[in-house]
Amino acid sequence: MYATERQDRISTAIARVGRVSVMELSREFGVASETIRRDLDLLEEQGRLRRVHGGAVSAQSTTIAETSLADRSDQAREQKSAIARAALRQVPDTFRGSLLIDAGSTTAQFAELLAARQPAAPDARIDVSTNSLAIAATLNASAHLALRILGGKIRGITGAAVGPSTIAQLTDLRPDIAFIGANGVSDGFGLSTPDEAEAAVKAAMVHAARRVVVLADSSKLEVETLVRFARLDEVDTLITDAPPPALLASALAAHGVEVVLA
């Protein structure tokens, strides 16, 4: 295989899955890792990818890149819908207790399903807290949910309440299950998001909950954004739409994280 053909295939793989590793590419193409690194260096010079430790990611992928909630809602819609359905199964229709729902596009789909579902018994009310304006509006229409909205400064790009007052409210809560979104989930860095204020609220949610369920589509796996808000050993369950890459799968297993494939 010519070098240009190999490099085109590497670019195609980046576009498809968002990240490639030197070791995996070396095995796939039957060439030395040094050859793959030279390919990645050239492709980075051409602006076709960005080098990271052990491999490369999309050129558009940066630690501070963040799209609006509306834009994210249109991305990987089918995968997020499947994840939301799997998340709903974590809350049996006989459940009586408290939930905490983080702001995000996948958690918003979960909230829609939760609001639409009828409980097994008329008195099976669920207490739900959220820092998301959009999710609060969805949940408010449901008669069987007791809604608590966490106040604070609203980030326009995500519609999430953040800041010291939001965190202070979370320190006084002990929900049974927290459903958390993440921009990145990696074996070395843990769970991360681009914004420091939002990361602080997510961290407070993780610390408050008795059980932490992370909702992250496969494009977020082995991605590291700017601010870590939780280690893998602080998570109980990861719901995603594809098997995690080998290194991440091993790390999740080592920390006892249950992986649910939607």
Side-chain angles (χ1 to χ4, degrees), residues 66-254:
E66 189 174 15
T67 55
S68 70
L69 183 61
D71 288 340
R72 280 187 283 145
S73 296
D74 292 329
Q75 297 170 356
R77 179 175 289 275
E78 290 185 6
Q79 293 91 328
K80 292 175 180 179
S81 179
I83 291 168
R85 292 193 298 271
L88 188 65
R89 291 193 289 271
Q90 302 289 313
V91 187
D93 58 7
T94 55
F95 179 86
R96 288 177 173 83
S98 55
L99 305 178
L100 177 59
I101 305 179
D102 181 24
S105 55
T106 310
T107 51
Q109 289 204 32
F110 164 67
E112 290 177 7
L113 296 177
L114 181 67
R117 189 183 67 177
Q118 293 300 312
D123 62 343
R125 288 172 61 83
I126 299 175
D127 185 292
V128 186
S129 302
T130 184
N131 68 324
S132 165
L133 292 179
I135 289 175
T138 297
L139 298 175
N140 191 48
S142 177
H144 65 276
L145 299 175
L147 174 64
R148 177 185 294 101
I149 184 166
L150 304 174
K153 180 179 179 181
I154 303 299
R155 292 192 70 225
I157 194 169
T158 61
V162 298
S165 61
T166 313
I167 294 170
Q169 292 166 77
L170 285 165
T171 60
D172 292 331
L173 295 178
R174 188 65 166 159
D176 293 305
I177 311 173
F179 292 90
I180 309 292
N183 295 74
V185 182
S186 77
D187 61 289
F189 195 53
L191 281 70
S192 58
T193 196
D195 182 75
E196 185 175 11
E198 201 136 353
V201 171
K202 289 176 184 287
M205 289 181 169
V206 169
H207 294 152
R210 299 177 187 273
R211 180 171 171 233
V212 177
V213 178
V214 175
L215 312 184
D217 67 79
S218 54
S219 70
K220 314 293 177 56
L221 304 184
E222 284 298 27
V223 171
E224 297 174 354
T225 54
L226 184 61
V227 188
R228 177 171 58 195
F229 64 86
R231 304 183 309 272
L232 293 183
D233 62 5
E234 296 177 294
V235 173
D236 296 289
T237 302
L238 168 66
I239 304 179
T240 187
D241 59 282
L247 287 176
L248 177 56
S250 296
L252 291 166

Side-chain angles (χ1 to χ4, degrees), residues 7-87:
Q7 290 156 12
D8 286 341
R9 288 179 60 178
I10 292 172
S11 293
T12 300
I14 285 280
R16 186 178 70 253
V17 301
R19 183 184 181 104
V20 294
S21 78
V22 171
M23 291 180 61
E24 290 173 354
L25 292 173
S26 178
R27 286 195 298 267
E28 178 181 348
F29 294 116
V31 297
S33 57
E34 290 77 10
T35 301
I36 295 298
R37 290 190 180 94
R38 286 195 294 271
D39 288 338
L40 298 182
D41 287 340
L42 178 61
L43 291 168
E44 184 174 46
E45 289 175 7
Q46 296 172 352
R48 297 164 69 182
L49 53 74
R50 184 169 62 85
R51 291 294 308 275
V52 296
H53 178 72
V57 297
S58 167
Q60 286 72 46
S61 176
T62 71
T63 60
I64 59 172
E66 189 174 15
T67 55
S68 70
L69 183 61
D71 288 340
R72 280 187 283 145
S73 296
D74 292 329
Q75 297 170 356
R77 179 175 289 275
E78 290 185 6
Q79 293 91 328
K80 292 175 180 179
S81 179
I83 291 168
R85 292 193 298 271

